Amino acid sequence: MPRFSITIPIFALAMIGLLALGGCSDEGSDPVSPDPDPDPDPDPISFAADIQPIFNANCVGCHGLGGNGGLDLREGSAYGNLVGIDSQGYPGKRVMAGEPADSVLYLKLTGDSSTGTRMPPAGLLPQAQRDLVRDWIAEGAADN
C-alpha cells in the first residue's frame, strides 16, 4: 500500500508567516478615530448660578417681597413667580419656556414697547446678561 506524505517546505511556511505579519501593516500610522462632535452641547444655563444673580443685582430692589406688579424675584421665589405664570397687565406668560420672544420678562428686558416700561427702568441690562436670560428661556427655562 502506497504511503502518502504531505510536506510543506519550510520556505513556504516562512512566506505565509511574513505575509500574515506584513500584509496588514498600516505602515505605522495612528489608528483612525471618529471625528469629535463638531458642535458639542455646552453646559446648560443655570437658573441659580447664572440668572438669579442678575435678578439679585438689578431687580430685587423693586421686585422683592410684595414687589411691584406682584413680582417677587428674590432667591427662592423668583422661579416660581416667572415660569408658566400669566403676566399681570400684559398678554402672555412672564416666561414661556422655550419661547423668549413670547416671554414678557425677556421683552421687558429688551425694551420692547408692547410690554410697557423697560426693565430695569434705569437702563437696559448689558447685552451679555440679556443674552443669558434669552438663552435660558430658549433652553427651556430649567429650574437648575
Side-chain angles (χ1 to χ4, degrees), residues 42-128:
D43 291 335
I45 295 170
S46 166
F47 181 79
D50 299 315
I51 303 303
Q52 186 63 54
I54 295 171
F55 297 155
N56 293 346
N58 299 285
C59 307
V60 296
C62 295
H63 294 287
L65 182 61
N68 293 347
L71 181 57
D72 182 353
L73 293 177
R74 292 175 304 144
E75 194 166 335
S77 299
Y79 186 87
N81 286 314
L82 289 172
V83 180
I85 304 298
D86 288 332
S87 177
Q88 291 183 7
Y90 306 100
K93 305 285 183 194
R94 289 176 172 163
V95 171
M96 181 178 286
E99 301 293 334
D102 294 328
S103 297
V104 173
L105 171 71
Y106 179 68
L107 295 173
K108 285 186 121 357
L109 293 178
T110 62
D112 185 285
S113 62
S114 70
T115 58
T117 306
R118 134 187 109 228
M119 291 294 146
L124 290 175
L125 294 175
Q127 186 66 49

Side-chain angles (χ1 to χ4, degrees), residues 18-50:
L18 286 174
L19 287 173
L21 291 175
C24 295
S25 173
D26 64 0
E27 302 298 323
S29 64
D30 292 332
V32 176
S33 61
D35 289 336
D37 185 356
D39 187 20
D41 291 334
D43 291 335
I45 295 170
S46 166
F47 181 79
D50 299 315

